[in-house]
Amino acid sequence: MRVLVWHVHGGYADAFLRGAHEYLVPRDDARGWHGLAGRDWPQAREVPADRLRQAEFDVVVLQRTKEWDAVRELTGREPGRDVAALFLEHNTPKPDATGTVHPFADAGISIVHVTHFNRLFWDTGNARTLVVEHGVPDPGPLYTGELPRAAAVINEPVRRWRITGTDLLPHLSAAAPLDVFGMGGEQLPAALAASAAPGRALEVEPAGDLPPHLLHAELARRRVYVHPFRWTSLGLALLEAMHLGMPVVALATTEAPAAVPPEAGLVSNDLDRLQRAIAAYVADPGLAAEHGRAARRHALAHHGLPAFLRRWDDVLADVVSHHPRRTGATTSPFAGRSMR
């Protein structure tokens, strides 16, 4: 089928757009829609925004509330009425963990969550909800663990501070030097120094925002992967690290306890236990490699790309088959609400 979808989250798009469907990706640089952004996805093609009215598609995958009105404006069709539609929710609810009403709760379309945790915590009212757990392309068993250092991938670690567990990095890095990859990492030294106890040396180093192939190679050289996130959906970088064959030390928050089995690392909210686990892996390369192999086996079995794409095939077919093609008002269900 033909799927209209925006290129929003690069890592997720890299998996989603590898499916067997034809994907139409809007481009309008003035609106910040950059189409494929140079990525090589054979089944996807860019569509200039001013040509969307002539484009034919079977279902639209929305990822931001503003895309609802964009579809109406640019295609003349209302999602859920004139064309099958779903909302793909990538995030945990904010600001209230259990009481936040999803903006599409009353929109009459299905909401697809990326984790069972998110489905449980969002208040989606009477909306039909589905789950497609994360899948990632396999980067291969690149792990060497040659560097007795820990690694984490955190985008915008200073702006997102407690959400991403950035404030925990000094404590965790007492066990081993910690390299932080991702966007905005260059702001870390000053921010951590400002919050550090007087006279305490910091072993946290920004390691750059690298393209995926370089990131995978550099992560695989570090002994252990650290996942300090308090309140985000399950990070793709965590699953990629497990695919690489890295052992994992993670907070026991959101979906992490389900994603990391005991034989693949330690998942706990006891910071001292996490610190000791990092130290143990750094001191014992054999143990780290053994647990990393278990992490890879689990990731391939539960978060491999083939199963992810099959699940999306089922969900897209299901959403299209449930499309009622009903008539009625065409006002946006988000009138008066804050947009994201």
Side-chain angles (χ1 to χ4, degrees):
M1 65 181 69
R2 287 183 175 177
V3 181
L4 176 64
V5 59
W6 274 255
H7 182 181
V8 177
H9 297 282
Y12 197 94
D14 191 40
F16 182 76
L17 294 177
R18 292 172 184 256
H21 307 286
E22 181 180 355
Y23 304 91
L24 310 182
V25 183
R27 178 163 188 168
D28 185 338
D29 291 337
R31 296 179 188 242
W33 305 343
H34 300 304
L36 302 184
R39 303 296 292 271
D40 181 20
W41 292 312
Q43 296 297 109
R45 63 183 176 90
E46 288 185 353
V47 180
D50 59 5
R51 297 185 187 176
L52 281 174
R53 192 169 293 268
Q54 291 76 44
E56 294 295 329
F57 50 92
D58 302 295
V59 59
V60 55
V61 175
L62 306 166
Q63 300 173 82
R64 298 165 293 188
T65 55
K66 61 186 177 183
E67 291 169 8
W68 177 287
D69 286 332
V71 172
R72 295 178 65 237
E73 172 195 348
L74 296 170
T75 74
R77 285 160 276 186
E78 183 175 354
R81 190 197 71 180
D82 302 314
V83 63
L86 63 86
F87 188 83
L88 172 58
E89 179 54 73
H90 293 276
N91 301 312
T92 49
K94 299 178 183 72
D96 187 329
T98 59
T100 300
V101 177
H102 196 278
F104 277 78
D106 302 316
I109 64 173
S110 297
I111 299 172
V112 178
H113 294 285
V114 297
T115 69
H116 291 280
F117 181 95
N118 289 1
R119 184 190 197 186
L120 181 67
F121 274 69
W122 273 106
D123 179 354
T124 51
N126 293 320
R128 188 164 172 267
T129 59
L130 304 163
V131 176
V132 180
E133 294 188 272
H134 286 303
V136 299
D138 181 14
L142 304 182
Y143 180 72
T144 65
E146 64 200 75
L147 301 179
R149 304 175 68 88
V153 178
I154 308 174
N155 286 322
E156 299 185 86
V158 174
R159 181 182 69 83
R160 300 164 72 199
W161 199 251
R162 284 184 57 83
I163 289 175
T164 55
T166 305
D167 60 302
L168 306 177
L169 299 182
H171 184 85
L172 297 176
S173 68
L178 177 57
D179 296 324
V180 180
F181 297 84
M183 295 183 293
E186 68 281 356
Q187 301 173 19
L188 266 176
L192 290 174
S195 65
R200 181 172 181 176
L202 290 175
E203 291 284 354
V204 181
E205 295 290 338
D209 181 21
L210 306 180
H213 67 287
L214 294 180
L215 174 63
H216 295 154
E218 287 301 319
L219 285 177
R221 298 179 65 212
R222 274 69 182 175
R223 190 71 48 80
V224 56
Y225 187 80
V226 175
H227 184 72
F229 292 72
R230 281 189 177 92
W231 193 246
T232 66
S233 290
L234 188 63
L236 292 179
L238 169 63
L239 299 179
E240 289 171 340
M242 293 175 68
H243 273 80
L244 292 169
M246 299 185 73
V248 172
V249 171
L251 290 187
T253 55
T254 63
E255 197 77 356
V260 184
E263 64 271 20
L266 177 67
V267 179
S268 173
N269 290 324
D270 183 331
L271 295 179
D272 293 332
R273 285 189 66 205
L274 295 176
Q275 187 187 79
R276 290 195 296 271
I278 294 170
Y281 285 131
V282 169
D284 190 341
L287 177 68
E290 177 187 348
H291 288 192
R293 287 190 292 270
R296 175 169 168 79
R297 287 194 297 270
H298 184 85
L300 288 171
H302 295 273
H303 297 284
L305 187 63
F308 170 81
L309 294 176
R310 286 194 299 269
R311 175 62 175 148
W312 264 115
D313 288 345
D314 293 341
V315 167
L316 292 172
D318 179 80
V319 168
V320 170
S321 71
H322 278 81
H323 177 221
R325 300 187 184 278
R326 64 186 185 274
T327 58
T330 59
T331 56
S332 168
F334 313 109
R337 298 190 192 180
S338 61
M339 306 293 275
R340 64 180 173 90

